Amino acid sequence: AQSVAQPEDQVNVAEGNPLTVKCTYSVSGNPYLFWYVQYPNRGLQFLLKYITGDNLVKGSYGFEAEFNKSQTSFHLKKPSALVSDSALYFCAVRDMTGTYKYIFGTGTRLKVLA
Amino acid sequence: DVKVTQSSRYLVKRTGEKVFLECVQDMDHENMFWYRQDPGLGLRLIYFSYDVKMKEKGDIPEGYSVSREKKERFSLILESASTNQTSMYLCASSSKSAGNYGYTFGSGTRLTVV
């Protein structure tokens, strides 16, 4: 079965420190992977995606993600966290069974401490 | 700026009421989706539609129905609202021809059933 796992419910990091939000996936074939961010009482906003090409993908607000096929991971990273990065982050993978659906992880709450 | 618009940000309804949640997109997207979001459970797919007058059940369709009479509008209907349907509801759309670009989400409707 296709799935996405975000093993951490919450990640705390000090402002200025690097951050990592973890995501692993299980799909058949080559995955199409996404990260979204959600601020309080808002919808999800697109951050970045991996379809093909370079394993390091750069996205909005200074975020990047590293695709690792052997470890089936797509971890979100940022070199220097800001308090304003505090939000809920979702990893998603496209369903590869011929539908247009995306499968989401359960989300990781990032808290950046001043 | 392209967008997905959900008609209400906050809604309070009584148990047993019939509730309509409206979603409109201006991107000429074929695909539209309704999710509910609950803490610890992530996003769960309720219903989706790939075309006008077409609908398919997602993972948790019980207690819900949908209507898609026009391409731009996808309505979620709670036939008889119950307290366990208190949740954040998210509408999303995507293009069939650009399916690798992920979803565009609305801002969400926080529904409270009392």
Side-chain angles (χ1 to χ4, degrees):
Chain A
Q2 301 181 105
S3 63
V4 173
Q6 293 181 244
E8 301 153 320
D9 290 335
Q10 181 158 322
V11 170
N12 295 328
V13 63
E15 188 174 31
N17 282 4
L19 69 88
T20 298
V21 182
K22 295 179 180 177
C23 172
T24 59
Y25 65 90
S26 174
V27 295
S28 54
N30 295 320
Y32 298 156
L33 294 155
F34 296 78
W35 276 102
Y36 289 86
V37 60
Q38 185 182 35
Y39 298 101
N41 294 311
R42 302 304 299 267
L44 277 67
Q45 298 176 30
F46 170 82
L47 265 184
L48 51 79
K49 69 175 188 272
Y50 172 83
I51 304 298
T52 187
D54 289 340
N55 289 343
L56 187 64
V57 179
K58 295 191 184 294
S60 307
Y61 312 121
F63 283 93
E64 56 190 29
E66 187 169 11
F67 170 65
N68 187 317
K69 189 171 184 177
S70 62
Q71 296 186 5
T72 62
S73 67
F74 189 54
H75 300 330
L76 182 69
K77 301 182 180 187
K78 187 172 181 181
S80 178
L82 300 172
V83 171
S84 56
D85 293 329
S86 299
L88 189 56
Y89 291 81
F90 288 94
C91 182
V93 65
R94 180 174 172 179
D95 184 334
M96 301 304 282
T97 62
T99 75
Y100 299 98
K101 296 184 287 184
Y102 289 80
I103 301 162
F104 287 84
T106 51
T108 298
R109 187 163 300 282
L110 174 67
K111 194 168 184 179
V112 181
L113 308 168
Chain B
D1 192 19
V2 294
K3 61 172 62 172
V4 176
T5 303
Q6 294 184 232
S7 54
S8 303
R9 293 290 300 278
Y10 299 93
L11 215 49
V12 180
K13 295 292 182 181
R14 294 193 179 279
T15 302
E17 276 193 78
K18 191 169 185 176
V19 180
F20 294 84
L21 302 182
E22 305 288 345
C23 176
V24 178
Q25 51 93 4
D26 64 0
M27 296 167 283
D28 202 34
H29 282 173
E30 298 88 353
N31 309 326
M32 296 188 75
F33 306 83
W34 274 107
Y35 287 86
R36 66 175 283 177
Q37 180 184 6
D38 301 287
L41 298 177
L43 275 66
R44 293 182 292 168
L45 182 62
I46 305 172
Y47 267 95
F48 58 100
S49 170
Y50 293 153
D51 204 347
V52 176
K53 297 192 185 294
M54 176 268 179
K55 60 185 178 184
E56 288 205 29
K57 293 180 180 178
D59 300 318
I60 51 163
E62 296 78 20
Y64 303 94
S65 63
V66 290
S67 171
R68 192 161 181 205
E69 296 296 318
K70 293 185 178 181
K71 189 176 185 180
E72 65 270 20
R73 185 182 296 270
F74 192 36
S75 303
L76 180 69
I77 304 156
L78 284 68
E79 298 290 343
S80 176
S82 64
T83 54
N84 63 14
Q85 292 178 310
T86 291
S87 186
M88 174 73 135
Y89 289 86
L90 294 167
C91 177
S93 71
S94 69
S95 167
K96 278 183 182 175
S97 60
N100 298 335
Y101 289 88
Y103 289 160
T104 301
F105 281 90
S107 296
T109 296
R110 186 164 293 281
L111 173 68
T112 302
V113 182
V114 298

